[in-house]
Amino acid sequence: MTRMRFLCAPYSGASATVFRPWVELLPSNIALSAVELPGRGSRFSESPLTCMEDLIDQLYDAVRPHLRMPFVLFGHSLGAVVMFELAHRFVDSHLIPERLIVSGQRALHRPSPRSPIHNLPDEQFISEINQYGGTQAGIFENEELRSIFLPLLRADFQLGETYVPHTTSPLCCDLSAYGGLQDPEVSVADIQAWRRYTEKQFNYRMFPGNHFFLHQHNGLVVESLLADLSKE
C-alpha cells in the first residue's frame, strides 16, 4: 500500500523520463511522480516557460489534487529551484511536505560563478552548454535535434538565470541538500548553505561524480534519500 508520494523535477532540458530508472529502486510503498515541464516529453507541443511564477502556478494546479498522502519534493539543478518555490506554495496553502530534497544546486543566496548565457548567440551558447557535460553527444550536430533542443535549453536557462526567489524565508519542513564532489558549478559550501532555508531538520550529502552525479550513481542517491526519508 502506498504511503508516500515522491514528487521529482528534472534539470534544464530534461524530461520526466530521467527519473524512470528510480522506479525499480524505490520500495512499492513510495509512488514516484516526475513532473513534466512544458516543451518536452508528453508536453512537447507546448512552449517552454521562461517565468518561474507562471511555471509554479501551472505545477501547483496540476499537482495539488493528487496529494492525498504524505509527500516529499525532490529537484535537481533547475528542478531544485522549482521544487523550492513549489514547497513554499504548498506551505502557504497549509500543505506541508515531509521533506524537500534539493540536488545539484547552490543555495539561493550564493552567487553563480558564471555569467548568464541564455541570450548568447547560438554557437557561444552551445559552447557553454557543452562545458556542463550532460548533453548527449552530437545532439547539436543534428539539425533536426538542434532545432528542437536548442530553444528548449535556452528557455530553461532563461528561467533559471532570471529567477528571483518569491521568498527566502525558512521552510517548516525538513530539508536535505545533495551535491557532487567533482561538480565544478556547485561547491560543498554551496550545498551546506541550504541550511538557512529550513527551521526544521537539515542534512547534506556529497556524492562522487560531477553535476550529473544522480545518473552516475543513481543507486547510491536513491539509497541515501531512502535513509533520509526513514528519519521522518
Side-chain angles (χ1 to χ4, degrees), residues 49-165:
L49 296 178
T50 57
C51 172
M52 186 65 71
E53 185 174 1
D54 291 344
L55 177 60
I56 298 304
D57 286 343
Q58 274 196 16
L59 291 179
Y60 178 84
D61 290 341
V63 171
R64 175 64 182 88
H66 303 287
L67 297 180
R68 301 185 182 94
M69 65 183 74
F71 66 99
V72 172
L73 304 177
F74 176 96
H76 184 78
S77 197
L78 175 64
V81 176
V82 171
M83 285 310 194
F84 173 81
E85 287 292 333
L86 194 58
H88 271 288
R89 183 68 63 88
F90 284 139
V91 169
D92 289 345
S93 60
H94 308 290
L95 191 62
I96 312 299
E98 298 295 308
R99 183 179 293 266
L100 168 66
I101 304 174
V102 291
S103 173
Q105 175 64 48
R106 71 184 60 83
L108 303 181
H109 63 284
R110 302 275 295 183
S112 171
R114 289 177 178 258
S115 299
I117 67 171
H118 72 269
N119 56 358
L120 291 176
D122 284 355
E123 296 309 318
Q124 288 180 259
F125 180 72
I126 290 170
S127 177
E128 292 290 331
I129 289 297
N130 284 336
Q131 293 183 35
Y132 284 86
T135 307
Q136 183 178 342
I139 196 169
F140 294 121
E141 280 68 49
N142 181 298
E143 287 300 322
E144 183 177 0
L145 291 177
R146 176 183 171 122
S147 68
I148 294 171
F149 200 59
L150 189 59
L152 173 61
L153 266 176
R154 192 182 290 279
D156 280 1
F157 269 79
Q158 182 177 348
L159 181 68
E161 291 173 348
T162 60
Y163 162 68
V164 177

Side-chain angles (χ1 to χ4, degrees), residues 179-184 186-188 204-211 213:
L181 287 167
Q182 287 78 46
D183 187 344
V186 185
S187 69
V188 177
Y204 75 96
R205 296 178 183 270
M206 302 302 298
F207 298 87
N210 60 25
H211 190 64
F213 63 88

